[in-house]
Amino acid sequence: MPHYADSLASLVREHKSPLVVGIDPRWDQLPDSLRQGDSLADRAEAYRRFSIGVIEAVAGVVPAVKPQAAFFEELGPAGMAALGDVIARARGNRLQVILDGKRNDIGSTAEAYARGMLGEASPWGADSVTVSPYLGDDSLAPFVTTAIERDAGLYVLVKTSNPGGALWQDKLIDGKPLYRHVGEHVEHLAEKTAGECGYGLVGAVVGATYPEQLSELRQAMPHTWFLVPGFGAQGGAAADVAGAFDASGLGAVVNSSRGVIFAYNRPEYAQFGQDRWQDAVQQAARDATAQLCDATPAGAL
Amino acid sequence: MPHYADSLASLVREHKSPLVVGIDPRWDQLPDSLRQGDSLADRAEAYRRFSIGVIEAVAGVVPAVKPQAAFFEELGPAGMAALGDVIARARGNRLQVILDGKRNDIGSTAEAYARGMLGEASPWGADSVTVSPYLGDDSLAPFVTTAIERDAGLYVLVKTSNPGGALWQDKLIDGKPLYRHVGEHVEHLAEKTAGECGYGLVGAVVGATYPEQLSELRQAMPHTWFLVPGFGAQGGAAADVAGAFDASGLGAVVNSSRGVIFAYNRPEYAQFGQDRWQDAVQQAARDATAQLCDATPAGAL
């Protein structure tokens, strides 16, 4: 299998799109046709059908999807079974799967998460996962080891898109904010695991809502692929994420969830109606891709 | 329903035990009689039977159990279904359930985790959960709101038991380590949600492996109930956790996982043999309780 970052770079180039579609199903926003019954099992089945519908709509248009574990976990074991099906279907459609669970723990417990989630042979089968750094370097190490073994990837939270993220992430330590210290450690891991494209297996989550910090971190972390949330519904514009890309338009994928998957509820896509909700999703993915390509260096993608 | 911390205090007093038994099933250490087959479904069924066996052995002896989500998640959807059964069985045996998932996310995604996990009426049905703080105050707020609504509890990672935890947690910010800043925020949330026992719904994870910091934080966080990992297999002795308790022996529960649940593999409990592995678990829980009671202020429990 090829190196994780090389595969991702290749898919971004093939589709000429740095867009990741976030799969965040929410009951109240699903198309009416999918909302049958109201038990946990009914809801889980609706999430499964909706998510697979999204996958079919964006396959061939974008390089990756990012299922949000929380929304499936909210439905208990039935939701988690649906999540497993959704990941398998995405992989079957040549979409990279970034499983967004922000997991972590210490030692052998972190190993259990990594072994369970990373790689085609694992029970969940994700290509990459998001990881929280508060527990320190020895909590990240088992994820790195497993990612290397399985040609999988990680995205460590560095600078998150929410306003409250600043509370501790921006606190100065020896004259530099905490997120820069975490970023330096991540860059070190990325450099050690770099593939042919120059990027490592270890990436970073850096929010679109802080454009200055995004550019600053791009400079400081040349081997680190960024996963950029906060574009679209969270308020980040395409121009805000321009600093995340390198000169060839690589080095970052940008997530949009609600703006794409619930496009049929947006006035701009009203012409599709509920019956053609998948067409609205596909059109929104194409439109977001075009916006992001405009934000990359001219003609890079 | 009574306030979370009041319920916990009452169970600690009733059983005269501040011990939490960590349910961390590991395939290689299960009794031979439970290791039938080798598929994910077989393993999940073995984890389910083993965990329920542990629950039956320690019910009436300790106030709480702490299932570690990672080990169940490692087995995919089948493992998560087993986790759901294990939580339900623990509650049915009057054991408080601390679901150890160290989850967190932003805004409505954090709400989804909180709604899914906290309280009897939720799909997972845990009494409390562990939460990671890197995403800041607005990521903790949805958990606090849900915990208040459902008389449930939280434990926020403050000072973890692993050596690498020091990498960022011990970094000085305005002359104080990061963990003290996180601790101050948690104490503020605990004070605002205090029950009759004086402790809040919001607690803190503080490792047994740093006795000095444990005593320092006990002084600084008088309304915060501590969940103390690192006792037993991780190297913390009972004397090391003495500083976690208040004068009446309350304010902390101390976790032991491997030392109790795999007691039948320890030389001290060899007399039970594999056939009586549950008796070994119960005896180890009684012995760990006695050690911890010796560490609380004289006669407090």
Side-chain angles (χ1 to χ4, degrees):
Chain A
M1 286 209 1
H3 183 278
Y4 172 76
D6 291 341
S7 302
L8 181 56
S10 156
L11 283 166
V12 167
R13 283 210 183 92
E14 179 184 334
H15 299 307
K16 299 188 193 307
S17 175
L19 181 69
V20 172
V21 174
I23 301 185
D24 295 17
R26 291 160 199 260
W27 182 249
D28 296 341
Q29 297 183 58
L30 296 188
D32 293 338
S33 60
L34 295 180
R35 286 193 289 172
Q36 307 292 328
D38 194 34
S39 69
L40 289 171
D42 292 333
R43 289 183 179 226
E45 175 58 16
Y47 280 20
R48 197 183 71 82
R49 289 175 60 199
F50 174 71
S51 303
I52 289 173
V54 169
I55 286 163
E56 287 168 350
V58 303
V61 177
V62 301
V65 291
K66 180 175 77 62
Q68 171 51 256
F71 295 108
F72 295 92
E73 201 163 318
E74 186 182 359
L75 301 181
M80 296 306 273
L83 175 62
D85 291 345
V86 168
I87 293 171
R89 187 64 72 102
R91 288 185 67 120
N93 278 274
R94 283 191 71 236
L95 287 160
Q96 269 210 4
V97 176
I98 303 171
L99 178 54
D100 194 359
K102 300 183 175 63
R103 303 292 197 254
N104 207 357
D105 212 294
I106 66 173
S108 59
T109 311
E111 272 176 44
Y113 277 128
R115 285 194 307 249
M117 298 191 295
L118 285 172
E120 203 168 352
S122 72
W124 296 102
D127 295 287
S128 60
V129 294
T130 56
V131 180
S132 183
Y134 189 74
L135 288 143
D137 52 349
D138 56 0
S139 75
L140 299 175
F143 284 90
V144 177
T145 303
T146 305
I148 293 170
E149 283 169 9
R150 301 191 183 171
D151 288 312
L154 306 178
Y155 297 94
V156 182
L157 301 184
V158 170
K159 172 72 180 151
T160 62
S161 58
N162 57 318
L167 179 61
W168 296 306
Q169 294 165 27
D170 285 12
K171 283 275 193 294
L172 293 182
I173 295 165
D174 300 332
K176 274 189 303 198
L178 173 60
Y179 73 78
R180 284 295 301 269
H181 291 268
V182 177
E184 280 172 16
H185 182 70
V186 170
E187 167 63 15
H188 174 68
L189 296 172
E191 187 173 9
K192 286 202 305 183
T193 59
E196 287 177 16
C197 68
Y199 291 97
L201 296 174
V202 185
V205 174
V206 185
T209 45
Y210 298 98
E212 273 180 48
Q213 285 85 344
L214 198 49
S215 300
E216 166 205 317
L217 289 170
R218 178 70 293 152
Q219 298 301 313
M221 301 169 72
H223 301 88
T224 306
W225 196 288
F226 290 171
L227 169 61
V228 183
F231 169 64
Q234 280 184 53
D240 292 334
V241 303
F245 300 104
D246 66 23
S248 58
L250 297 178
V253 283
V254 177
N255 183 75
S256 179
S257 302
R258 283 169 275 180
V260 173
I261 65 172
F262 300 127
Y264 47 94
N265 291 333
R266 293 171 59 187
E268 309 93 288
Y269 300 99
Q271 77 271 22
F272 290 102
Q274 285 239 349
D275 286 352
R276 292 178 58 211
W277 69 269
Q278 285 180 280
D279 292 336
V281 168
Q282 185 174 82
Q283 190 56 48
R286 291 191 192 284
D287 293 346
T289 290
Q291 286 174 39
L292 291 174
C293 285
D294 284 348
T296 60
L301 281 182
Chain B
M1 284 200 15
H3 183 279
Y4 172 75
D6 291 340
S7 302
L8 181 55
S10 155
L11 284 166
V12 168
R13 282 210 185 93
E14 178 184 335
H15 299 307
K16 299 188 192 309
S17 174
L19 182 68
V20 172
V21 174
I23 301 185
D24 295 19
R26 291 159 198 260
W27 181 250
D28 295 343
Q29 295 182 61
L30 296 187
D32 292 340
S33 59
L34 295 180
R35 286 192 289 173
Q36 307 291 328
D38 194 33
S39 70
L40 289 171
D42 292 333
R43 289 185 179 225
E45 175 59 14
Y47 279 19
R48 198 182 71 83
R49 289 174 60 198
F50 173 71
S51 302
I52 288 174
V54 168
I55 286 164
E56 289 169 349
V58 303
V61 177
V62 301
V65 292
K66 181 173 77 63
Q68 170 51 255
F71 295 108
F72 295 92
E73 201 164 319
E74 186 182 1
L75 301 181
M80 295 307 272
L83 175 61
D85 292 344
V86 168
I87 293 170
R89 187 63 73 101
R91 288 185 69 118
N93 278 273
R94 285 191 69 238
L95 287 159
Q96 270 210 4
V97 176
I98 304 171
L99 178 54
D100 193 0
K102 299 183 176 63
R103 303 292 197 254
N104 207 355
D105 211 294
I106 67 174
S108 58
T109 311
E111 273 175 45
Y113 276 128
R115 285 194 307 249
M117 298 192 294
L118 284 173
E120 205 169 351
S122 72
W124 295 102
D127 295 285
S128 60
V129 295
T130 56
V131 179
S132 182
Y134 189 76
L135 288 142
D137 52 348
D138 56 359
S139 75
L140 299 176
F143 283 91
V144 177
T145 304
T146 306
I148 292 171
E149 284 169 8
R150 302 191 182 171
D151 287 312
L154 305 177
Y155 296 94
V156 181
L157 300 185
V158 171
K159 173 71 181 152
T160 61
S161 58
N162 56 318
L167 179 61
W168 296 307
Q169 294 166 26
D170 285 10
K171 283 276 193 293
L172 293 182
I173 295 165
D174 299 332
K176 275 191 302 199
L178 172 61
Y179 73 79
R180 284 296 301 268
H181 291 268
V182 177
E184 279 172 16
H185 182 70
V186 170
E187 169 62 16
H188 174 67
L189 296 172
E191 187 174 7
K192 286 202 304 183
T193 59
E196 288 177 15
C197 67
Y199 291 97
L201 295 173
V202 184
V205 174
V206 185
T209 44
Y210 298 98
E212 274 180 47
Q213 286 86 344
L214 197 51
S215 300
E216 166 204 318
L217 290 169
R218 176 71 294 153
Q219 297 301 313
M221 302 171 72
H223 301 88
T224 307
W225 196 288
F226 290 171
L227 169 61
V228 183
F231 170 64
Q234 280 185 53
D240 293 334
V241 303
F245 300 104
D246 65 23
S248 58
L250 296 177
V253 283
V254 178
N255 182 74
S256 179
S257 302
R258 282 167 278 180
V260 172
I261 66 173
F262 300 128
Y264 47 93
N265 291 332
R266 293 170 60 186
E268 309 92 288
Y269 300 100
Q271 78 270 22
F272 291 103
Q274 286 239 347
D275 286 352
R276 292 178 58 211
W277 67 270
Q278 285 180 281
D279 293 334
V281 168
Q282 186 174 81
Q283 189 58 48
R286 291 191 192 283
D287 293 347
T289 290
Q291 287 173 41
L292 291 174
C293 285
D294 284 348
T296 61
L301 282 182

